[in-house]
Amino acid sequence: MSTLPVEPAATDPAKRILPPNPKAAAIIALGFTLVLYLVELADVLIPGDLDQGGIHSRDLSGLAGVIWAPLLHGGWSHLFGNTVPVLVFAFLAMAGGLGQWIAVTATVWILGGLGVWLTGPSGAVTVGASGLAFGWLAFLLVRGIFNRSAGQIVLAVVLLGIWSGMLWGLLPGNPGISWQGHLFGALSGVLAAWLVARASRKKDTGSLAV
C-alpha cells in the first residue's frame, strides 16, 4: 500500500474569471482598440465622411452599417469615452478563450446592430463601439449566474460598482446618444452568456455519458 499526493481539481474553463493567456488577451484587446483609432484617424485625413457608413435605421441601403458602425466614431471625444470600457471588457470577456470571445463579440455586434437598425431614430446615423462595450459588460455581469460561478459573480459586482453609471445609457433621454445601441448591445450580451453557459453544460453532460 502506498500514499499518493492528491492532485488539485482542474479549473472549470466555464468558470474562469481571467483569460487563460492574459498576455495574448491583452494584445488582442489593444489591437482591436488600435484599429478603432486608425479608423478614426483615416476619417480625419481622408476626404469624405466615413461615419456615413454607420447604421441608417430602417434603410435597406444602410443595413451594411451593422458591420461597420462599431468601428466608427463621431469624433475623438466619442472614441476616448469608449476606450477604457472597450479595453477592460474585451480583455475580461476572453476568460473562456479566443473562440468563445469571437462568438460572443459576433453575437453582440450583429444582433445589437440589427436592433439599432430596427428601432433607431429616422434620419440619423448610429456609430460607435459603445454597443459592443455594453454587450461585453452585460455578458460579464450575468455569466456567473448562468455558470453558477461565485468568482464570476464577485467580479460582476466589482464591475457594476465601477461602471454602474453606464447603465443610465440604457435609458432614452440623452440627445445624441444611442440608447438603442446600448440596450440591444446589452440584451445581446445576456443572450450570448446564456448560449455559452448552455453549450458548456451540454459539453459537460456529453463527457459524462457512458
Side-chain angles (χ1 to χ4, degrees):
M1 178 178 289
S2 61
T3 301
L4 298 175
V6 177
E7 296 182 1
T11 302
D12 185 349
K15 297 183 178 182
R16 284 197 197 105
I17 299 173
L18 297 176
N21 190 335
K23 183 177 179 180
I27 291 173
I28 292 170
L30 285 168
F32 178 76
T33 306
L34 177 60
V35 169
L36 301 183
Y37 275 79
L38 292 175
V39 170
E40 186 59 27
L41 180 62
D43 191 26
V44 171
L45 298 178
I46 296 175
D49 187 359
L50 295 183
D51 291 344
Q52 290 303 310
I55 300 172
H56 296 251
S57 303
R58 295 173 299 285
D59 183 344
L60 287 177
S61 64
L63 189 56
V66 170
I67 302 298
W68 305 115
L71 302 175
L72 303 167
H73 287 82
W76 291 111
S77 60
H78 185 197
L79 178 54
F80 294 156
N82 284 336
T83 297
V84 173
V86 165
L87 281 171
V88 174
F89 302 155
F91 173 80
L92 292 174
M94 278 184 257
L98 179 59
Q100 184 187 106
W101 181 79
I102 291 174
V104 169
T105 301
T107 299
V108 174
W109 195 305
I110 300 301
L111 295 185
L114 288 175
V116 172
W117 186 80
L118 288 170
T119 66
S122 299
V125 183
T126 302
V127 296
S130 56
L132 274 181
F134 270 86
W136 286 325
L137 176 59
F139 172 80
L140 294 168
L141 291 179
V142 303
R143 65 174 179 171
I145 299 173
F146 293 134
N147 291 329
R148 302 179 180 88
S149 168
Q152 290 178 349
I153 291 173
V154 169
L155 176 62
V157 172
V158 172
L159 291 175
L160 190 59
I162 297 173
W163 276 284
S164 58
M166 282 184 62
L167 300 183
W168 291 108
L170 299 173
L171 302 176
N174 293 319
I177 296 179
S178 175
W179 63 269
Q180 296 95 336
H182 300 167
L183 176 61
F184 283 100
L187 291 175
S188 299
V190 172
L191 174 63
W194 178 76
L195 290 173
V196 165
R198 184 169 178 265
S200 178
R201 285 195 294 270
K202 280 188 174 183
K203 182 179 179 181
D204 290 343
T205 302
S207 65
L208 293 174
V210 294

